[in-house]
Amino acid sequence: MRRLIARRLLVSVALVFIISLMTFVLQSAAPGDAARTILGDYQDPERYEYIREQLGLDDPVLVQYWRWLSQALRGDLGSSLISGIDVSHAITSRLPVTLSLMFTATMAVTLVGVGLGVIAAVRRGRLGRAIDVLSLVGHAVPNFWFALVLVTLFAVTIRLFPATGYVPLSASPGGWARSLVLPVTAIALPGAAVFAKHTRDQMLEVLSKDFVRALRANGASELSIVFRHGLRNAAIPVVTLIGLTFIGLFSGIVLIEAIFAMPGMGRLMITAATSRDLPTLQGVVVVVTLVVVAVNLVTDLVYGWLNPRVRVR
Amino acid sequence: MRSHTVRRKLARSRRALTAMLVLTIFLITACSNETSSSSGPSVSGADDTATDDEPTGDELVLRVGAGAPPSTLNPALGGGVEEVFLSLTYDPLFVRAGSGHEPRLVESWTAESGNTEFEVTLRGGVEFSDGTPLTADAVKANVEYFIEAGGPSQGQLSGISSMEVVDELTLRLTFSEPQPLFTELFSVGAGWMISPAAIDEPQMLATETFGAGPYVLVPEDTVANDTYTYVPNPEYWNPDGVYWDKVIIKVLPDENTALAAITTGQVDVIHGAVGTLDAAEEAGLQLAAGRGIVLGMQLNDREGTLSPPLGDVRVRQAINFAVDREAITQAVIGKAGIATEQLAAPGGVGHNETDFYTYDPDLARELLAEAGYSEGFTLPVVVANAFQQTVVEAIGGELEQIGVTLDISVVEGAAYGESLAEFPASALGWGVPHPHKMGRALWLRGATGVNPFDSSDPMVEELDQQALLADEETQEDLYRQLMRRLVEQAWFVPVGIRPSLLFYRDTVVIDAVPGAALPTPESWRPAG
């Protein structure tokens, strides 16, 4: 176990380094730069050169990268080329928002998905077919359309939840929860349908195995078969799916953050990318990579705990 | 059979789960509703849906939903988008009033020697929010800083050849070339005065405000690109001009989100969009319309370098005759739009009452044939966003009739500026300010806005030069001639003007002047 973690940490460091270098090089190679964003509508050639020089954009790409890296290793992620705002500050004020969304959405997807999947596996028949159809719909429905429908129904027509905004947990737990209901539903419901189908398929496969028939013949209660034996075995691939879901949710979150006007990382990343704000983008990329690596590690550890056969000796 | 035991147990646990879920929702809703329903008559206009900070007692709070975040809080670098955020904290030397300008931080001013020498006398007793006094030296330091910072006004301010501090409150400025728009130059943008103490440490300007305006930014309650909170400036020279106890600006870039926010009472004013105009009217919101932007296409390659057909004025005119401006404006901009063939708004300087073009596809085909393009041709066009694409596609639909096919490319963000020189045509989306300003952006030699092939017309240059030295009445006539020349030469294909809009609840009063830019937030007052 310790060797697994140690090896993973080493790989993570290398991964963060490689990804940050690639991001930097790709951004620098793309047409346009932060100076163009600052100039806006008035692309005065003299001003452009002046600003480029001020921002250090005339130096070779690797020199610029080294400048960023040496600062970052000392804990200083720099400031935005466009607004001058400290990057660490921008990220720390937005990370809780995105993490709140991602964790609650993953939990919702898992609980609803697994719940529905188990029920459908045990009951079969119409419910099972309904879940198949819902899963297809879940795949096809665009997040943002669903979000707008939710807002129109539950925020504007029936004033049940706030139409926009995010309330920090520290300010008001009730407000925090309420501000998350609609965004999480928008992200989670389509994903939960897909999750339910996978769970159901896995459960059906496990429940049809010989050892289950043997357990039944030996008099084990149906409940223990479903939950202790069935689910635990079906959970193995499902756990992997949870990890992938968490990471996959990030792309949907960008749109949701925009629609609900939530100050999260998704929007920060998109704005930084289109305006070529290199330090901010680098900061976001590094943080996101670290989160992904952490989630993968946890998933693998849980997977190993659930399935003794793949534990690393 | 044991399966129905499982089913019953599952059914029970399902019911339990559902009950828990309903209870949780009820608790959550109840928990956070209790704070808002106890606030009594809410003067800010918010409904009893919970928001993150509640008005206490009868505190007057203005909540605004802005359509875009400010890219910077530094007035020396800010432009049009930043106006909403900065006008609350930075009073300018001159302020927009109707279609002209009025002194604000300035007490009086004179212009001499054909608009090349100006003397301004400042209002006495004005202090910045950090207590530093406003003096002629401070203004001089501001002009020098604005030039050094490289912001949008750097070009125009560089025309100042010398500044002389006459006395504590009087400054004399000399321009190397006539500057007919002195008061406009020192209104929004270069007119925003920053405390000299902050100019010495400009990195502070990214997160805090140091102006002589009615409010100050509260950095602790501000999340960049999302929420900006302001409270009254205790040092403000005109306490009667402070209407609110607090101003909160939220960034709501999606027009549907903004509409949902204002109809549920989360904000009192939003930047309106033509797409949600009908819904806003149905919801009973008030409407304020400002000058807006002119939309259409620019035929930049007037020499025919990349696209030989564009080099012939008959081809460019043909394109202008083939476009049904009324129809496209109605379809793309909606009922608030104004069809136009010129880069000027009705009531604005340079606007001609009569039109040069009519909607005449037959005439267009004749002109094309005369120029030798009866088979038509393909014209590559670059646009910066999805809305511009809609406009240009509508134009393209019309041009198909005369055999001209538009090949549209979308280039977003920072890459757009560089791509302009690679396409013979681009989208037109520009404000309609004074033609003196517009010329330096779009149609004069050395224009720094969108003139990628550096086109220049001798008659246009001549008329502009004459206008620099003329009196106001003659100026207007000269600019009308200039505008007509641009229309005849068909450098552009304007289609319609999309006004800038504000939707607001009846708890706020906004005095919009038709044909002028929208009033900025520091002038918005509580109703009643």
Side-chain angles (χ1 to χ4, degrees):
Chain A
M1 195 65 86
R2 261 182 310 188
R3 272 181 47 185
L4 169 69
I5 297 176
R7 213 177 26 210
R8 270 309 169 80
L9 283 176
L10 251 133
V11 169
S12 322
V13 168
L15 203 62
V16 171
F17 176 70
I18 292 172
I19 290 183
S20 71
L21 178 62
M22 265 177 53
T23 311
F24 204 95
V25 169
L26 284 172
Q27 274 276 301
S28 303
D33 53 35
R36 290 261 173 240
T37 309
I38 292 174
L39 286 183
D41 292 324
Y42 287 83
Q43 298 286 327
D44 183 341
E46 269 174 37
R47 236 186 101 207
Y48 176 61
E49 288 306 327
Y50 179 80
I51 293 178
R52 260 186 78 92
E53 205 199 347
Q54 275 194 330
L55 298 178
L57 294 173
D58 281 332
D59 298 328
V61 175
L62 288 178
V63 169
Q64 291 182 49
Y65 179 71
W66 178 247
R67 234 189 347 243
W68 175 81
L69 187 63
S70 42
Q71 266 191 316
L73 288 173
R74 270 177 280 148
D76 177 13
L77 287 175
S79 2
S80 161
L81 291 181
I82 319 277
S83 67
I85 291 174
D86 186 50
V87 173
S88 326
H89 180 78
I91 292 178
T92 43
S93 60
R94 288 166 171 266
L95 197 56
V97 179
T98 303
L99 287 180
S100 297
L101 267 175
M102 286 176 73
F103 275 112
T104 37
T106 306
M107 244 175 37
V109 167
T110 309
L111 288 174
V112 173
V114 168
L116 280 178
V118 166
I119 294 170
V122 171
R123 289 197 54 169
R124 323 240 181 144
R126 266 203 313 235
L127 189 56
R129 280 199 292 276
I131 294 219
D132 274 344
V133 171
L134 275 176
S135 169
L136 213 65
V137 173
H139 249 134
V141 160
N143 269 356
F144 63 88
W145 171 83
F146 190 51
L148 290 173
V149 166
L150 285 174
V151 169
T152 311
L153 282 177
F154 297 106
V156 180
T157 315
I158 317 169
R159 307 277 169 97
L160 201 55
F161 298 105
T164 69
Y166 169 82
V167 177
L169 184 56
S170 50
S172 154
W176 172 80
R178 266 185 89 223
S179 66
L180 282 178
V181 170
L182 290 184
V184 167
T185 312
I187 312 172
L189 222 54
V194 175
F195 219 85
K197 177 162 164 51
H198 279 280
T199 309
R200 172 171 153 265
D201 290 347
Q202 286 300 316
M203 278 292 286
L204 282 177
E205 208 202 289
V206 168
L207 289 178
S208 66
K209 287 252 163 77
D210 284 343
F211 81 89
V212 170
R213 228 178 317 159
L215 280 171
R216 238 186 235 133
N218 282 342
S221 78
E222 201 67 20
L223 209 61
S224 89
I225 290 177
V226 169
F227 287 105
R228 216 177 109 212
H229 299 281
L231 191 56
R232 183 175 161 138
N233 281 286
I236 296 166
V238 168
V239 158
T240 319
L241 193 58
I242 295 178
L244 289 174
T245 304
F246 183 86
I247 295 162
L249 282 177
F250 189 68
S251 48
I253 271 169
V254 172
L255 269 169
I256 298 299
E257 280 178 8
I259 292 172
F260 289 92
M262 305 176 87
M265 298 271 285
R267 304 215 50 228
L268 186 66
M269 187 174 73
I270 299 294
T271 314
T274 42
S275 52
R276 304 278 188 272
D277 185 1
L278 282 169
T280 307
L281 187 62
Q282 290 290 101
V284 172
V285 163
V286 163
V287 169
V288 170
T289 309
L290 288 172
V291 170
V292 167
V293 158
V295 168
N296 273 328
L297 181 60
V298 167
T299 311
D300 282 348
L301 288 174
V302 172
Y303 189 89
W305 171 69
L306 278 177
N307 188 355
R309 280 174 289 172
V310 299
R311 278 192 202 146
V312 179
R313 260 177 288 281
Chain B
M1 287 272 291
R2 291 208 175 84
S3 51
H4 64 242
T5 325
V6 179
R7 242 183 254 138
R8 246 188 302 155
K9 287 195 177 157
L10 276 174
R12 253 185 285 160
S13 46
R14 222 184 334 154
R15 261 176 275 158
L17 258 166
T18 324
M20 263 176 25
L21 199 66
V22 171
L23 190 67
T24 318
I25 293 180
F26 177 74
L27 278 173
I28 291 173
T29 325
C31 260
S32 30
N33 251 344
E34 69 184 21
T35 41
S36 58
S37 52
S38 65
S39 66
S42 179
V43 190
S44 73
D47 269 352
D48 45 301
T49 44
T51 48
D52 31 339
D53 38 351
E54 295 300 318
T56 50
D58 45 6
E59 197 182 53
L60 283 173
V61 183
L62 172 67
R63 289 167 214 265
V64 184
S71 53
T72 176
L73 288 180
N74 185 339
L77 302 172
V81 173
E82 284 73 31
E83 253 184 71
V84 166
F85 299 89
L86 295 178
S87 64
L88 288 163
T89 59
Y90 290 96
D91 261 12
L93 292 179
F94 298 92
V95 73
R96 275 200 292 260
S99 48
H101 297 87
E102 256 175 25
R104 173 74 110 196
L105 290 179
V106 160
E107 180 84 50
S108 63
W109 66 287
T110 57
E112 292 154 34
S113 315
N115 287 338
T116 54
E117 282 204 17
F118 301 88
E119 194 172 282
V120 294
T121 305
L122 299 167
R123 200 178 282 276
V126 176
E127 281 180 3
F128 293 98
S129 57
D130 62 356
T132 319
L134 173 70
T135 60
D137 278 304
V139 175
K140 182 157 176 275
N142 264 274
V143 174
E144 286 162 357
Y145 173 61
F146 272 63
I147 295 176
E148 188 208 313
S153 44
Q154 183 197 51
Q156 287 197 290
L157 289 175
S158 302
I160 298 175
S161 54
S162 70
M163 288 185 282
E164 188 200 322
V165 176
V166 175
D167 62 49
E168 202 197 331
L169 292 176
T170 312
L171 183 70
R172 179 170 273 269
L173 301 104
T174 310
F175 282 75
S176 51
E177 262 197 19
Q179 172 54 271
L181 300 178
F182 181 75
T183 54
E184 185 170 321
L185 173 62
F186 285 104
S187 60
V188 164
W192 284 325
M193 289 292 120
I194 311 173
S195 163
I199 290 180
D200 286 334
E201 297 201 50
Q203 67 277 9
M204 294 198 297
L205 293 170
T207 48
E208 284 179 71
T209 59
F210 298 89
Y215 304 90
V216 273
L217 186 75
V218 183
E220 300 80 51
D221 291 332
T222 294
V223 177
N225 285 11
D226 183 74
T227 311
Y228 297 81
T229 308
Y230 306 81
V231 292
N233 173 9
E235 312 293 336
Y236 192 48
W237 59 273
N238 179 23
D240 291 333
V242 182
Y243 304 118
W244 307 92
D245 298 308
K246 198 190 256 196
V247 179
I248 302 170
I249 305 184
K250 274 226 76 171
V251 178
L252 304 173
D254 183 80
E255 56 191 54
N256 295 299
T257 305
L259 192 65
I262 196 173
T263 45
T264 55
Q266 287 185 322
V267 292
D268 306 306
V269 186
I270 58 170
H271 280 133
V274 290
T276 46
L277 181 57
D278 287 329
E281 284 185 340
E282 271 172 50
L285 296 169
Q286 315 265 25
L287 190 81
R291 214 162 46 194
I293 59 175
V294 61
L295 297 162
M297 214 164 69
Q298 297 191 198
L299 304 173
N300 299 317
D301 188 15
R302 293 123 193 170
E303 302 294 305
T305 322
L306 290 181
S307 170
L310 283 192
D312 191 324
V313 65
R314 288 170 296 188
V315 171
R316 300 197 303 266
Q317 286 182 338
I319 293 176
N320 269 281
F321 275 113
V323 172
D324 185 353
R325 293 178 160 87
E326 282 293 345
I328 298 181
T329 304
Q330 271 305 302
V332 177
I333 305 177
K335 61 188 188 195
I338 305 168
T340 183
E341 63 169 28
Q342 44 189 319
L343 285 144
V349 178
H351 185 259
N352 285 286
E353 297 295 308
T354 54
D355 279 344
F356 181 78
Y357 295 108
T358 50
Y359 175 50
D360 195 343
D362 292 321
L363 179 53
R365 272 186 282 261
E366 262 181 56
L367 284 167
L368 269 185
E370 254 184 59
Y373 293 101
S374 45
E375 302 298 303
F377 62 95
T378 302
L379 179 64
V381 186
V382 66
V383 304
N385 56 55
F387 184 77
Q388 284 183 352
Q389 185 180 10
T390 318
V391 176
V392 175
E393 272 172 2
I395 297 176
E398 304 274 292
L399 294 181
E400 284 293 338
Q401 296 175 57
I402 62 168
V404 177
T405 308
L406 295 184
D407 179 17
I408 304 171
S409 307
V410 183
V411 177
E412 294 196 40
Y416 182 69
E418 289 184 356
S419 67
L420 284 171
E422 295 160 24
F423 291 83
S426 63
L428 168 65
W430 205 265
V432 274
H434 198 280
H436 169 89
K437 240 181 137 168
M438 258 188 128
R440 275 138 194 81
L442 298 179
W443 59 68
L444 293 176
R445 196 180 306 121
T448 54
V450 185
N451 188 2
F453 297 89
D454 207 18
S455 315
S456 156
D457 180 277
M459 192 167 151
V460 168
E461 299 284 334
E462 176 60 35
L463 286 165
D464 184 82
Q465 281 299 309
Q466 285 179 25
L468 283 179
L469 306 165
D471 63 75
E472 224 176 278
E473 218 183 285
T474 325
Q475 250 188 34
E476 289 190 23
D477 186 58
L478 288 166
Y479 281 126
R480 267 194 290 268
Q481 291 179 44
L482 192 156
M483 199 61 74
R484 178 63 117 204
R485 170 74 178 172
L486 285 171
V487 167
E488 285 171 11
Q489 287 296 300
W491 278 20
F492 304 88
V493 188
V495 169
I497 294 180
R498 183 186 71 183
S500 41
L501 299 168
L502 287 173
F503 299 151
Y504 57 103
R505 299 162 65 88
D506 49 24
T507 47
V508 181
V509 173
I510 299 180
D511 301 311
V513 175
L518 282 172
T520 39
E522 83 284 358
S523 66
W524 304 346
R525 292 173 287 119

